[in-house]
């Protein structure tokens, strides 16, 4: 059921250098497209309205100093050298920081979390021997664990950052496609966020393009989203050469401008010029910081897209190629502008004016191609965080397609892809003002960075066990810088910054409605579950006829007997000879190793033939197919019986404390194995015993459990294995119990709206909890129950 080969290759220590450099090359086309195209519009946006380029060059040198130190402190120091190390076993993003905190401080929002989950290798990887580094860390951990209100506030805070990323995923592609409309109307607006190169120069040379820009932009968007199903690897290899060529081009042009126009421009890198800039421009200089902010848009994608690549590959790509190229490009533009002060048209403060005349058309073509690539980073990041939220019960279930058999983080979500495309087209057609859209996207980006900074301060104390002083210094350094940019962006709220807030509010309501409804439904399942004493009173036959076959009862409960089972027993005349209560759940780790996949236990005495099986998946694991799943499930129960953990016990009320960890078939080669074929063969070796069901003339398939000769198992276990193989031959039936929630009479208006309309609408339009099983319809029985909460 799992792609076990390469399950953890994206985070393994033994990655070959060839793999690392290959991932670094791919990351150029996926992660750095947005960040790499920022030189096209930063200077133009900064000087658009608030400040002017004077003969003293104090403004241009001040802006260059701000750009240099912003790029150095935020993307390089904060993200590359600090935040990337806070990955959750190779997975990044705002929600990955939240899952780290959930594990270390027990803030888990999943209702079906068990103590045995904390024994997972990846769960306890950083928690073994956890000792708080200070009294403050102890008090902070205790406070968060005791107060549910603080836990909910932390969850909502993490969801806000996540929703801002999704909102930016709508804005960035739209802005990439329509940014050229501004110059075609010969009007430059302030703070354009992204890729000011679409038709940036064509409209200057060919006014005819004015009539075709919008249709062309829509076609580009449709083509971009249509490519997503090919997967990160193919898209990365397709786009990476474009971004690499673009970076080499702007760095070469930057070097030319530095040596040709002003070799002493490096002096402007001193922070002293920032003080001169702010002292001279005052309030206007502060407002222009929104334009400077655009030089780091796309930085958050380095962390959000981490699961698609690896920490080392992203670090290599940024430090060796992206960062030097961007610094040279900005210095080159400043060197050119320091010698050119006569600005006839507003677009001449931008990028293309610094390009030598003979190279403008080739650079233009390359810039247009890079503009298309610029949207890829945020689209890929959106897929990653949606999957994390879905697995942890904070987003409606969607179809997730894994596009790589080697790197599990490379995924594609069809529903989200087409929703993003529709929203992008709506924004493109409805809003043609890139000034306002730039303000909007800038606010979304800086909000995500602020949320990351706040969560990182908790990670430093609770997860890394550092002294609180380090967390304070982290917030003081990066939080102050980001708060300054945030204030400059927030003042533009009425000029477009409300757009990401509106989009984020919609997605936040979806997540909150779904999470609240899911919790209420699970609480109702727990409150209405059947006691084991009632089951024991029915006797081994359960008061009904037991027929051949395996009945798998799907439930979301990890303990107890679901209420739906009592309806089966009282209303059905017969039931299967072997019953398995199956729970498929997510745990707050990226991956669960195949040898830790199953938790198997017994319900009641051995002769009842009732088992509980909990299948655990990380938020980046996935299912392969139902045939292998059935095989692994039956084999895990057989191994549980053989191992001796299924022995008799007098205290059946504590069956949930006796769950045994069992891996997939391939992980216990020294244990029991299962063979399924249509031909009856005799054993081929004297070292193995074969347990099979009695032969039947019409049987087409035979199931055999092959177990080692040692250790010996008792007669009761042998009979149990024989009955299990016979039941497997007869076939498997799935009983799917669906529980629905409705607000009870007398509930508040808000609760009725959330449960009866909000959650119910999302439930009807999302995939069911059993969508990953791929069960055959002919072998499925579905029964529903309604709970009033």
């Amino acid at each position: 059921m799992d792609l076990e080969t390469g399950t953890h290759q994206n985070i393994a220590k033994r990655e070959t250098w060839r793999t690392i450099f290959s991932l670094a090359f791919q990351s150029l086309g996926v992660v750095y497209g947005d960040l790499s195209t920022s030189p096209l519009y930063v200077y133009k946006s900064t000087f658009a309205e608030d400040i002017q380029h004077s003969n003293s060059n104090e403004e241009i040198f001040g802006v260059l100093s701000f750009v240099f130190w912003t790029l150095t402190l935020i993307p390089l120091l904060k993200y590359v050298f600090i935040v990337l190390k806070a990955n959750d076993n190779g997975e990044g993003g705002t929600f990955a920081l939240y899952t780290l905190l959930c594990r270390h401080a027990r803030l888990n929002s999943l209702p079906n979390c068990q103590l045995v989950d904390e024994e997972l290798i990846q769960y306890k990887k950083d928690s073994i021997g956890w000792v708080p580094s200070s009294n403050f860390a102890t008090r902070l951990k205790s406070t968060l664990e005791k107060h549910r209100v603080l836990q909910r506030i932390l969850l909502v805070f993490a969801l806000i950052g996540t929703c801002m990323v999704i909102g930016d995923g709508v804005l960035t592609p739209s802005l990439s496609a329509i940014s050229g409309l501004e110059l075609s109307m010969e009007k430059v607006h302030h703070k354009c966020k992204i890729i000011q190169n679409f038709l940036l120069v064509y409209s200057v040379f060919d006014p005819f393009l004015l009539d075709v820009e919008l249709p062309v932009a829509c076609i580009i968007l449709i083509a971009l989203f249509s490519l997503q199903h090919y997967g990160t690897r193919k898209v990365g290899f397709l786009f990476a050469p474009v971004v690499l060529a673009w970076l080499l081009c702007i760095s070469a042009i930057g070097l030319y401008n530095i040596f040709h126009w002003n070799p002493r421009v490096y002096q402007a890198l001193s922070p002293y010029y920032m003080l001169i800039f702010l002292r001279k421009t005052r309030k206007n200089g502060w407002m222009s910081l929104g334009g400077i902010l655009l030089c780091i848009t796309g930085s958050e994608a380095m962390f959000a897209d981490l699961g698609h690549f690896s920490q080392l590959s992203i670090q290599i790509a940024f430090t060796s190629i992206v960062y030097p190229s961007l610094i040279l490009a900005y210095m080159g533009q400043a060197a050119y502008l320091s010698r050119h002060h006569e600005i006839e048209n507003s677009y001449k403060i931008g990028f293309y004016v610094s390009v030598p005349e003979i190279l403008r058309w080739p650079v233009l073509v390359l810039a247009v191609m890079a503009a298309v690539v610029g949207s890829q980073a945020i689209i890929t990041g959106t897929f990653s965080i949606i999957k994390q939220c879905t697995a942890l019960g904070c987003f409606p279930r969607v179809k997730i397609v894994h596009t790589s058999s080697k790197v599990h983080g490379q995924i594609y979500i069809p529903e989200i892809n087409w929703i993003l495309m529709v929203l992008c087209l709506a924004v493109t057609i409805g809003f043609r003002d890139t000034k306002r859209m730039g303000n909007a996207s800038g606010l979304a980006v800086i909000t995500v960075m602020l949320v990351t900074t706040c969560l990182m301060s908790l990670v430093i104390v609770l997860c890394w066990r550092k002294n609180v002083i380090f967390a304070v210094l982290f917030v003081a350094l990066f939080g102050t810088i980001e708060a300054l940019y945030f204030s400059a962006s927030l003042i533009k709220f009425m000029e477009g910054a409300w757009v990401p807030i509106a989009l984020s509010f919609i997605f936040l309501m979806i997540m909150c409605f779904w999470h609240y409804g899911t919790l209420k439904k699970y609480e109702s399942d727990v409150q209405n579950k059947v006691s084991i004493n009632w089951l024991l009173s029915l006797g081994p036959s359960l008061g009904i006829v037991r027929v051949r076959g395996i009945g798998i009862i799907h439930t979301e409960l990890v303990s107890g007997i679901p209420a739906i089972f009592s309806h089966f027993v009282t209303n059905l005349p017969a039931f299967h000879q072997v019953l398995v209560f199956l729970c498929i759940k997510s745990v707050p780790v990226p991956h669960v190793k195949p040898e830790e996949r199953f938790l198997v236990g017994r319900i009641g005495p051995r002769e009842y033939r009732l088992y509980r099986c909990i299948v655990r998946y990380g938020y980046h694991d996935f299912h392969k197919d139902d045939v292998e799943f059935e095989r692994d499930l039956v084999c895990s129960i057989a191994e549980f019986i053989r191992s001796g953990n299924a022995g008799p016990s007098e205290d059946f009320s504590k069956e949930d404390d006796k769950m045994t960890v069992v891996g997939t078939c391939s992980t216990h080669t020294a244990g029991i194995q299962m063979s399924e074929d249509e031909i009856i063969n005799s054993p081929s070796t004297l070292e193995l015993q074969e347990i099979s069901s009695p032969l039947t003339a019409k049987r087409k398939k035979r199931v055999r459990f092959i177990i080692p000769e040692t250790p010996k198992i008792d007669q009761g276990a042998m009979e149990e294995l024989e009955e299990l193989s016979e039941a497997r031959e007869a076939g498997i039936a799935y009983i799917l119990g669906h529980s629905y929630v409705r607000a009870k009479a007398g509930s508040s208006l808000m609760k009725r709206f959330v449960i009866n309309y909000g959650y119910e609408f999302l439930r009807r339009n999302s995939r069911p909890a059993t969508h990953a099983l791929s069960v055959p319809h002919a072998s499925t029985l579905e029964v529903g129950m309604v709970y009033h909460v």
Side-chain angles (χ1 to χ4, degrees), residues 448-497:
V448 175
M449 292 182 177
L450 274 172
V451 171
T452 301
T453 298
C454 295
L455 293 178
M456 270 299 302
S457 64
L458 295 177
V459 170
I460 290 172
V461 175
L462 298 178
C463 303
W464 290 356
R465 309 161 211 164
K466 301 295 183 182
N467 193 290
V468 66
I469 295 177
F470 291 98
V472 172
L473 291 176
F474 184 86
V475 174
L477 176 59
F478 301 112
T480 301
I481 297 172
E482 291 162 357
L484 181 65
Y485 284 119
F486 180 80
S487 63
S489 299
L490 192 61
I491 200 172
K492 302 292 184 179
F493 178 84
M494 298 306 297
E495 299 179 26

Side-chain angles (χ1 to χ4, degrees), residues 623-651:
H623 301 181
K624 190 175 182 182
D625 57 61
D626 57 310
V627 176
E628 289 194 30
F629 174 71
E630 291 178 358
R631 179 184 178 86
D632 284 340
L633 177 63
V634 175
C635 197
S636 67
I637 297 175
E639 177 63 20
F640 167 75
I641 296 171
R642 184 204 69 85
S643 64
N645 296 310
S649 174
E650 298 298 329
D651 189 3

Side-chain angles (χ1 to χ4, degrees), residues 161-215:
T162 300
C163 292
M164 280 293 183
V165 174
I166 301 174
D168 196 30
V170 175
L171 294 168
T172 296
S174 301
L175 292 172
S176 300
I178 66 173
S179 56
L181 293 174
E182 299 298 304
L183 283 185
S184 66
M185 295 182 290
E186 296 184 354
K187 179 181 180 182
V188 176
H189 292 292
H190 179 53
K191 288 192 188 74
C192 173
K193 183 242 177 195
I194 192 160
I195 312 177
Q196 296 277 355
N197 67 313
F198 267 100
L199 308 174
L200 192 60
V201 176
Y202 336 158
S203 53
V204 176
F205 296 112
D206 191 355
F208 172 74
L209 292 175
L210 175 62
D211 297 329
V212 299
E213 285 172 352
L214 186 59

Side-chain angles (χ1 to χ4, degrees), residues 224-479:
L224 177 65
F225 284 99
S226 299
L227 288 174
Q228 299 305 313
H229 74 278
Y230 288 107
T232 305
R233 183 176 183 274
K234 293 181 179 179
V235 172
F237 274 119
L238 177 64
F239 288 167
V242 176
V243 176
L244 180 60
W246 168 252
L247 289 171
L248 294 176
C249 173
I250 61 175
S251 59
I253 293 174
L255 280 173
Y256 168 80
N257 286 329
I258 291 172
F259 288 105
H260 184 72
W261 295 110
N262 190 352
R264 301 175 64 84
V265 72
Y266 68 88
Q267 296 178 350
L269 302 182
S270 170
Y272 175 70
Y273 283 90
M274 291 192 291
L275 298 177
I276 296 177
F277 173 81
L278 292 177
R279 186 172 58 188
K280 181 178 180 178
T281 57
R282 299 182 182 276
K283 180 182 177 180
N284 288 335
W286 167 66
M287 295 179 65
S288 69
L289 293 179
I292 300 174
L293 167 65
L294 302 180
C295 72
I296 57 173
T297 54
S299 300
E300 72 283 359
M302 286 190 289
F303 191 43
D305 294 339
L306 182 59
H308 293 253
F309 303 99
S310 69
Q311 177 184 333
L312 184 57
S313 63
I314 290 180
Q315 290 173 329
I316 289 175
F318 185 81
T319 56
S320 62
I321 300 177
V322 179
Y323 178 75
S325 299
L326 290 176
I327 296 301
L328 289 174
Y330 286 117
M331 290 178 65
Q333 289 186 65
Y336 178 88
L337 293 173
S338 67
R339 295 291 186 262
H340 298 79
H341 303 93
E342 298 297 327
I343 309 298
E344 298 177 2
N345 297 302
S346 55
Y347 73 84
K348 285 195 174 182
I349 200 73
F351 171 77
Y352 286 104
V353 68
S354 64
V355 178
E357 189 74 28
I358 193 174
L359 297 177
R360 286 189 181 177
W361 277 108
V363 171
L364 171 65
V365 174
L366 187 59
V368 171
M369 297 172 65
V372 178
V373 179
S375 305
Q376 185 61 41
I378 198 63
I379 295 174
T380 305
T382 300
F383 290 160
S384 294
I385 61 176
I386 288 292
K387 185 174 192 313
Q388 294 177 20
C389 293
T390 301
L392 298 179
C394 294
F395 197 84
R397 290 178 289 265
V398 291
K399 180 180 180 181
I400 297 171
V401 180
H402 290 257
T403 58
S404 173
S405 61
K406 295 182 178 180
V407 183
H408 273 218
Q410 297 187 358
I411 59 173
Y412 164 69
I413 306 179
E415 292 99 325
I416 300 300
N417 184 67
W418 301 124
I419 289 175
L420 286 179
M421 188 191 75
V422 171
L423 291 176
C424 286
L425 291 174
V427 169
T428 302
I429 296 172
F431 302 92
R432 305 187 184 188
D433 187 351
T434 54
K435 168 193 170 182
R436 298 189 177 188
M437 301 302 288
N439 293 335
S441 194
L443 180 61
V445 168
I446 199 61
T447 303
V448 175
M449 292 182 177
L450 274 172
V451 171
T452 301
T453 298
C454 295
L455 293 178
M456 270 299 302
S457 64
L458 295 177
V459 170
I460 290 172
V461 175
L462 298 178
C463 303
W464 290 356
R465 309 161 211 164
K466 301 295 183 182
N467 193 290
V468 66
I469 295 177
F470 291 98
V472 172
L473 291 176
F474 184 86
V475 174
L477 176 59
F478 301 112

